[in-house]
Amino acid sequence: MRRRILLSILAVVTFTTLVLGIPLMYTAWLWVEDITRNDLQSRLDRIAAEIIAQEGEAGMVSGPLDTSSVRLLVPDGGLLVIVYPTPQDSASRADIGARTVEHALVESLSMGTSGSLRLEVPSDEMRERQKQAVGAVGLVVIASMAAGTAVAVITARRLADPLRDVAARAARLAEGDFRPDPRRHGIPELDRVSDVLDSATVEIAIRLQRERALVADVSHQLRSRLTAVRLRLDELSVHADPAVVDEAEEAMAQVDRLTIAIDDLVRASRVEGAVSGVALSVVDELSTVIAEWQRPFEDAGRSLRLGGDAALRAPVTGSRLREAVTVLVDNALVHGGGVCTVSVRMVRGVGDREPSVCVEVADEGRGVSNDLAPHIFDRGFSGAGSTGVGLALARALVEADGGRLELQRRSPALFALFLAAVENVAEPQREPVGEPR
């Protein structure tokens, strides 16, 4: 920003200076020559007055021409040629000064039909004065450019620094720093932006407090209800029918996993970013998700598979990763068809991107329509009568850990979840879960 402002002002200053400076230099050059010629013409007028004073009534010089007073008017190194009429009806000529003048500057004056004056002086002195005048104008031009440059630097700094401060403050606000900033820059527009940021900071902080309080209340209520459900399931665990006991124990395990997931999500919502760089095995985290969804897929006459290298690790929050993949698997069960495959692999970086761990969730259904695909991650948008929250939530959970979620293929649907990769420990590749043997 500062560089662009500085270059713009300097371009205007330079253009203006050149447009005015070059004509001024040319004018100074002509002005010196005009002064010199006027001086010569003035000398000729005075010389002509001296000569006319020596003419008689007939308008002629009757005797020898007195040049004593005229010589004083001839510049050093100059030549004065006087042509004057005499009684013998002939014109006489008198040369005063140097014999020849090199690079002469000439001025002449007519004194009637038979008399004239011609004054020649060396032009070197005039050229020297012209150069001095052009040099003086050039110094003024350079001084003007220097002053313009100083003004440009000050103006660019005055405009760019406040803009940079406001941008930095907006970035801090995006990172969760809600501290007010009392600084103002004396620029009404930027000060107005700062006032708006102050108001937004207060409003966002209040809303975040309300949302965190609501999350805490909801999680407390959910844990209370889950505790009540678990107590009822404990009663079923002592039932005489072994099948009922198995179902009760499986339901209690589901309740325990749901309670842990709720606690992890609430804890993660209070922490910025991923969990302090803890690298987790992606396949190990997803194996619990696959185990939970095996039965629903079997009931639907379909299969769910997990494949990948257990050595692939990523610094993510386990609960966020599991919930995001759960949304994708649930989406594949409800809207997809055929075999649902969850695969984990390493993806090499393209361009400036670092290598990443890619989790792909694919099925063999009809996929996503062209009309729905551009809005599939928009909150509240659904093409199948659902709430339209699941995929938006999945993307938000992934992005909270610094990853990204994309729809890689529309038909059949393929969702790809990219996570930052870390150095992996050499481990044997895990057999796909759910594969028929």
Side-chain angles (χ1 to χ4, degrees):
M1 173 64 73
R2 177 187 296 183
R3 187 170 181 269
R4 290 197 295 269
I5 296 175
L6 181 59
L7 291 178
S8 300
I9 298 177
L10 285 179
V12 173
V13 170
T14 302
F15 177 77
T16 304
T17 303
L18 291 178
V19 168
L20 296 178
I22 293 176
L24 281 176
M25 291 179 183
Y26 181 69
T27 302
W29 183 274
L30 296 181
W31 177 66
V32 172
E33 182 176 354
D34 187 61
I35 289 177
T36 304
R37 290 187 179 277
N38 287 338
D39 179 67
L40 295 180
Q41 195 66 41
S42 176
R43 291 173 181 268
L44 288 176
D45 290 339
R46 294 171 61 185
I47 292 172
E50 293 289 339
I51 294 176
I52 292 174
Q54 297 183 33
E55 293 180 355
E57 295 180 357
M60 299 180 183
V61 179
S62 57
L65 182 64
D66 184 8
T67 60
S68 58
S69 59
V70 174
R71 291 181 183 275
L72 299 176
L73 298 174
V74 179
D76 294 338
L79 171 62
L80 175 63
V81 179
I82 304 175
V83 178
Y84 59 93
T86 60
Q88 292 78 18
D89 295 332
S90 61
S92 297
R93 170 175 172 167
D95 295 347
I96 303 173
R99 293 185 178 182
T100 58
V101 179
E102 296 181 357
H103 309 293
L105 180 65
V106 181
E107 282 291 325
S108 59
L109 179 64
S110 176
M111 297 187 301
T113 57
S114 56
S116 65
L117 299 176
R118 175 186 174 91
L119 182 59
E120 300 178 8
V121 295
S123 62
D124 296 338
E125 184 178 354
M126 182 191 70
R127 300 303 180 200
E128 186 66 25
R129 289 198 300 269
Q130 285 178 323
K131 292 177 181 178
Q132 293 175 356
V134 171
V137 175
L139 290 177
V140 173
V141 170
I142 294 174
S144 300
M145 292 185 65
T149 301
V151 172
V153 171
I154 295 173
T155 303
R157 183 179 303 168
R158 176 172 172 78
L159 292 177
D161 289 350
L163 286 174
R164 185 159 39 209
D165 291 342
V166 172
R169 185 181 177 193
R172 292 195 302 271
L173 179 61
E175 293 172 357
D177 185 357
F178 303 120
R179 292 174 298 176
D181 191 346
R183 288 184 300 173
R184 295 297 182 266
H185 304 91
I187 301 176
E189 293 78 5
L190 292 180
D191 291 344
R192 174 60 179 163
V193 173
S194 298
D195 294 338
V196 172
L197 287 177
D198 280 343
S199 301
T201 297
V202 175
E203 183 66 24
I204 293 174
I206 293 174
R207 291 189 179 185
L208 283 177
Q209 290 177 356
R210 291 175 179 172
E211 290 179 1
R212 288 175 179 173
L214 178 62
V215 169
D217 294 340
V218 170
S219 63
H220 175 73
Q221 293 298 324
L222 286 175
R223 282 194 293 266
S224 299
R225 298 297 183 269
L226 289 174
T227 301
V229 171
R230 199 180 194 289
L231 292 175
R232 299 296 296 271
L233 292 174
D234 283 336
E235 297 177 2
L236 292 177
S237 64
V238 295
H239 197 275
D241 188 350
V244 174
V245 173
D246 291 339
E247 288 296 330
E249 290 178 350
E250 181 62 27
M252 283 191 293
Q254 290 282 0
V255 170
D256 292 339
R257 284 194 290 270
L258 181 57
T259 303
I260 294 173
I262 292 174
D263 291 338
D264 288 343
L265 289 175
V266 172
R267 190 183 307 110
S269 67
R270 297 171 180 173
V271 180
E272 297 294 332
V275 178
S276 63
V278 177
L280 304 177
S281 173
V282 178
V283 173
D284 289 343
E285 291 295 324
L286 297 183
S287 61
T288 59
V289 177
I290 301 303
E292 291 176 6
W293 286 87
Q294 284 291 348
R295 179 66 63 84
F297 271 86
E298 291 175 358
D299 295 340
R302 298 170 56 188
S303 60
L304 176 64
R305 301 174 182 175
L306 170 65
D309 188 355
L312 295 177
R313 298 178 179 274
V316 295
T317 307
S319 58
R320 290 175 179 171
L321 175 61
R322 292 192 300 270
E323 290 302 317
V325 175
T326 296
V327 170
L328 298 178
V329 172
D330 181 32
N331 192 66
L333 176 62
V334 176
H335 305 292
V339 178
C340 178
T341 304
V342 180
S343 58
V344 182
R345 61 189 179 92
M346 176 70 75
V347 178
R348 299 299 172 187
V350 179
D352 296 334
R353 289 182 175 177
E354 297 293 333
S356 57
V357 177
C358 179
V359 179
E360 294 178 337
V361 180
D363 62 72
E364 299 174 347
R366 291 181 299 176
V368 183
S369 66
N370 293 332
D371 295 335
L372 179 61
H375 309 284
I376 195 168
F377 293 107
D378 294 346
R379 183 176 293 272
F381 185 88
S382 175
S386 61
T387 61
V389 176
L391 290 176
L393 174 62
R395 170 171 277 188
L397 291 172
V398 173
E399 291 178 349
D401 278 332
R404 68 182 192 279
L405 176 60
E406 299 176 355
L407 175 63
Q408 293 286 85
R409 188 177 64 215
R410 297 185 178 182
S411 180
L414 171 62
F415 290 89
L417 192 156
F418 297 92
L419 305 171
V422 296
E423 293 186 4
N424 303 298
V425 182
E427 297 182 9
Q429 186 164 345
R430 180 182 295 273
E431 291 291 335
V433 177
E435 288 280 359
R437 297 184 181 271

